[in-house]
């Protein structure tokens, strides 16, 4: 199987005192996750930590198919989609459970974006406004659609994407983990080419650095690690108003963005 290469960095940014983001880098499982905790006062980081731990445990425990499933198994989607979706729903329940024993954390929650690679097949899931992008030498494409108020207005033609970026409600998300129910996990599939790269990030990157600039930075970096470092640096240079988490994943080599092979 083509080897998976990756790099991941999480950074507190220039303004916040705590880093409430968390990430999970598990190439041996083909699993990569970014979680952006909400709630402040040392609660957000607890929520995002619960997410990465719960997802790592469930995905790690379900490498074989013959296992009793804790929640509804959806036969219309793949095994990996069920693993990722169930792991995220269990994380939602685990946060709600933690809040029941620690009522001072009642406002905590978390977004999540995660990918599970099986060969070149990528299963992707997200809740909230943490994003996945697909990049190659031709350009950048946001693969996830934010569960946010401004994204809904853009989808309905009420706001333009550039208006959404500066709108006062740009941080209002319409879904987050932590209520212990009623979560609609968005699932997607794609086939990753060796010339493609996946980027997972919290809104501390996407809110500070535009898509085109993200693409230019990755294109100009030699390796995945240097691309991740340069993205963090750009978010900080643009203000670093929030915690910044960046995970880049590719197949075949650790080049930031392999050139398309000309036939
Ligand atoms: Ca954030």
């Amino acid at each position: 199987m083509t080897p998976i290469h990756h790099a991941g960095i999480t950074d507190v940014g220039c303004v916040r005192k705590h880093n409430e983001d968390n990430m999970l880098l598990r190439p041996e499982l083909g699993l990569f996750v970014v979680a952006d905790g909400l709630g402040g006062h040392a609660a957000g980081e607890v929520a995002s930590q619960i997410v990465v731990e719960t997802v790592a445990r469930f995905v790690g425990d379900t490498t074989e198919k013959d296992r009793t499933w804790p929640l509804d198994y959806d036969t219309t989607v793949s095994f990996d989609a069920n693993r990722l979706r169930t792991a995220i729903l269990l994380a939602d329940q685990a946060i709600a459970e933690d809040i029941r024993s620690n009522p001072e954390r009642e406002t905590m929650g978390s977004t999540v974006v995660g990918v599970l690679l099986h060969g070149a097949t990528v299963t992707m899931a997200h809740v909230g406004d943490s994003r996945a992008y697909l990049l190659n030498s031709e350009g950048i494409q946001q693969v996830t659609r934010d569960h946010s108020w401004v994204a809904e207005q853009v989808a309905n033609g009420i706001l333009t994407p550039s208006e959404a970026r500066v709108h006062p409600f740009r941080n209002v998300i319409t879904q987050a983990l932590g209520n212990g129910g009623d979560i609609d996990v968005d699932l997607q599939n794609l086939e990753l080419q060796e010339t493609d790269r996946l980027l997972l990030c919290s809104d501390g990157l996407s809110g500070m650095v535009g898509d085109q600039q993200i693409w230019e930075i990755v294109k100009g970096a030699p390796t995945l690690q240097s691309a991740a470092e340069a993205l963090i640096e750009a978010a900080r240079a643009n203000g670093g108003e929030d915690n910044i988490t960046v995970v880049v994943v590719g197949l075949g080599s650790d080049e930031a963005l392999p050139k398309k092979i000309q036939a």
Side-chain angles (χ1 to χ4, degrees):
M1 224 182 259
T2 319
I4 300 174
H5 294 267
H6 74 279
I9 305 175
T10 185
D11 186 275
V12 69
C14 306
V15 175
R16 304 280 177 91
K17 284 201 176 66
H18 297 279
N19 189 349
E20 300 187 327
D21 287 359
N22 263 293
M23 64 180 179
L24 183 66
L25 309 172
R26 297 289 297 275
E28 76 286 6
L29 291 171
L31 176 66
F32 300 91
V33 176
V34 168
D36 178 352
L38 322 157
H41 304 293
E45 58 219 70
V46 173
S48 61
Q49 182 69 33
I50 290 172
V51 172
V52 296
E53 282 173 3
T54 308
V55 171
R57 193 178 319 118
F58 188 74
V59 171
D61 283 350
T62 50
T63 50
E64 304 291 330
K65 280 192 182 178
D66 55 344
R67 186 184 192 278
T68 319
W69 216 254
L71 301 171
D72 289 344
Y73 190 95
D74 182 352
T75 53
T76 65
V77 297
S78 69
F79 176 58
D80 277 350
N82 274 287
R83 290 167 80 194
L84 210 45
R85 178 176 155 275
T86 303
I88 288 170
L89 293 175
L90 290 173
D92 173 53
Q93 293 182 358
I95 297 170
E97 186 76 21
D98 186 276
I99 292 172
R100 277 194 286 278
S101 357
N102 302 280
E104 73 280 7
R105 296 183 194 144
E106 66 173 344
T107 58
M108 79 174 173
S110 183
T111 72
V112 66
V113 59
V115 291
L116 192 50
L117 281 80
H118 189 92
T121 303
V122 180
T123 305
M124 188 179 293
H126 85 286
V127 173
D129 64 354
S130 295
R131 290 182 177 175
Y133 290 93
L134 185 67
L135 298 89
N136 57 38
S137 60
E138 257 121 71
I140 180 168
Q141 182 198 344
Q142 183 183 335
V143 190
T144 50
R145 192 166 106 189
D146 296 348
H147 300 141
S148 71
W149 186 84
V150 290
E152 284 181 3
Q153 306 311 305
V154 171
N156 294 328
I158 295 161
L159 291 176
T160 66
S162 48
E163 285 168 342
R165 286 189 65 76
V166 295
H167 197 279
F169 295 167
R170 64 186 178 279
N171 295 322
V172 177
I173 56 176
T174 51
Q175 276 209 103
L177 305 181
N179 295 327
D182 215 18
I183 293 289
D184 193 7
V185 180
D186 250 340
L187 291 168
Q188 292 182 78
N189 277 301
L190 58 92
E191 289 296 311
L192 198 66
Q193 309 297 317
E194 288 192 22
T195 45
D196 291 334
R197 294 296 180 248
L198 283 171
L199 163 66
L200 309 183
C201 66
S202 62
D203 66 337
L205 179 76
S206 51
M208 289 286 118
V209 186
D211 294 7
Q212 201 58 29
Q213 195 191 351
I214 291 175
W215 183 64
E216 302 280 348
I217 288 167
V218 176
K219 204 163 62 131
T223 63
L224 292 171
Q225 180 64 31
S226 59
E229 288 166 6
L231 289 170
I232 297 281
E233 206 39 59
R236 295 183 62 103
N238 291 357
E241 290 168 19
D242 198 355
N243 308 139
I244 313 147
T245 303
V246 168
V247 174
V248 278
V249 181
L251 296 175
S253 84
D254 76 341
E255 282 174 279
L257 210 53
K259 304 265 182 306
K260 274 245 164 24
I261 298 141
Q262 300 296 332

